[in-house]
Amino acid sequence: MADTMTSDHFKDATRVDRIEVDCWGLLQAAVHDKSCGWRLPVLATCSHGELRQRTVVLRKVDAQSRMIFVHTDVRSPKIKSIDGNQNVSWLFYDAMRQVQLQLKGLATVHTDDDIAEQVWQDETEFSLRGYMAPYVPGSVRLSPESNLPDEIRHSVPDRVQLSAARANFAVISCSIDTADWLLLRPEGNLRARFIYEGSSVSHADWLAP
Ligand SMILES: Cc1cc2nc3c(=O)[nH]c(=O)nc-3n(C[C@H](O)[C@H](O)[C@H](O)COP(=O)(O)O)c2cc1C
């Protein structure tokens, strides 16, 4: 299993251009591959001097425009943080492939546009049921609280039940400007950095790991 997994990306670790292409290939694959560690990145935000990190699910990747997408509750604190400062960073680690990726970029929150609507339509009912949460995420409760309405705690809602939850749903897109890749290897680790201008690579450099 590990051999198959490692054979498809970062096979040619001598060519920096191949590595950049493989980074985006693996990000795209991670959206659909639950065994890939890059499916669950950590998103870091910083606003008014407060740093926050949280795990999220990578939902969509557009390799051409260097954009990545996740979804979240519009009432959650990370939205306020991004409203205050669009500069965010992402940490991806795939333990099977022993490969880390740090991304930096500018985040945008989408609620009412085509981007939000498309992701809402594409997602499964199960993954959207969290947006039926009656309480603001992170608000203090007096007892243990799943924040799911009783009627869907043990079932998957249909689209009609979900319709009111659309108002709580937001997509965060991020336009990536820097990628820092690190591959762990017994014979010596390798590291490379890619800087983007628009959707093209403006600098591709090997770095000392
Ligand atoms: C494996 C895993 C996946 C998660 N996926 C998401 C996600 O896709 N979107 C999201 O908003 N929160 C997700 N969370 C919850 C966040 O980590 C975080 O607790 C929540 O979004 C509140 O973050 P905030 O208070 O910084 O806004 C996930 C947590 C875990 C452990």
Side-chain angles (χ1 to χ4, degrees):
M1 180 70 168
D3 279 351
T4 333
M5 303 273 308
T6 46
S7 62
D8 48 359
H9 296 93
F10 314 120
K11 202 160 114 187
D12 185 357
T14 59
R15 286 186 46 193
V16 79
D17 58 332
R18 278 301 324 161
I19 287 162
E20 197 273 332
V21 170
D22 280 358
C23 282
W24 286 95
L26 187 55
L27 284 169
Q28 284 179 309
V31 170
H32 306 288
D33 179 358
K34 287 196 172 158
S35 72
C36 179
W38 284 16
R39 185 166 177 270
L40 296 176
V42 173
L43 164 63
T45 56
C46 181
S47 179
H48 304 295
E50 194 197 6
L51 274 164
R52 292 287 306 261
Q53 298 165 290
R54 73 287 288 161
T55 312
V56 287
V57 180
L58 184 65
R59 301 290 178 173
K60 191 173 153 186
V61 170
D62 183 342
Q64 283 234 298
S65 60
R66 315 287 174 215
M67 301 276 290
I68 65 175
F69 303 83
V70 301
H71 58 67
T72 193
D73 194 305
V74 75
R75 301 165 293 174
S76 66
K78 68 179 84 53
I79 296 293
K80 268 205 188 70
S81 191
I82 291 168
D83 282 345
N85 179 1
Q86 287 183 277
N87 291 287
V88 298
S89 85
W90 303 80
L91 177 64
F92 299 78
Y93 180 60
D94 186 291
M96 188 96 77
R97 296 177 178 82
Q98 301 226 299
V99 63
Q100 171 181 275
L101 187 67
Q102 294 167 284
L103 299 179
K104 279 198 309 135
L106 272 191
T108 304
V109 175
H110 307 262
T111 51
D112 297 326
D113 60 7
D114 289 351
I115 290 178
E117 194 50 35
Q118 189 67 56
V119 178
W120 175 263
Q121 294 303 335
D122 289 348
E123 281 299 331
T124 63
E125 287 78 11
F126 182 79
S127 80
L128 296 176
R129 74 177 192 152
Y131 300 105
M132 295 174 77
Y135 305 112
V136 171
S139 56
V140 175
R141 309 306 312 162
L142 293 176
S143 54
E145 175 59 65
S146 71
N147 213 5
L148 283 176
D150 286 344
E151 66 274 17
I152 55 131
R153 201 164 296 165
H154 302 291
S155 64
V156 179
D158 58 30
R159 288 273 161 181
V160 176
Q161 287 173 297
L162 273 170
S163 55
R166 176 66 181 80
N168 299 329
F169 176 80
V171 169
I172 300 171
S173 70
C174 185
S175 164
I176 302 303
D177 55 46
T178 311
D180 189 322
W181 167 89
L182 174 68
L183 178 67
L184 306 183
R185 306 187 309 174
E187 69 270 37
N189 304 337
L190 289 175
R191 184 173 173 196
R193 183 185 56 202
F194 308 99
I195 298 175
Y196 299 100
E197 253 175 46
S199 56
S200 340
V201 181
S202 66
H203 292 84
D205 296 300
W206 291 109
L207 302 184

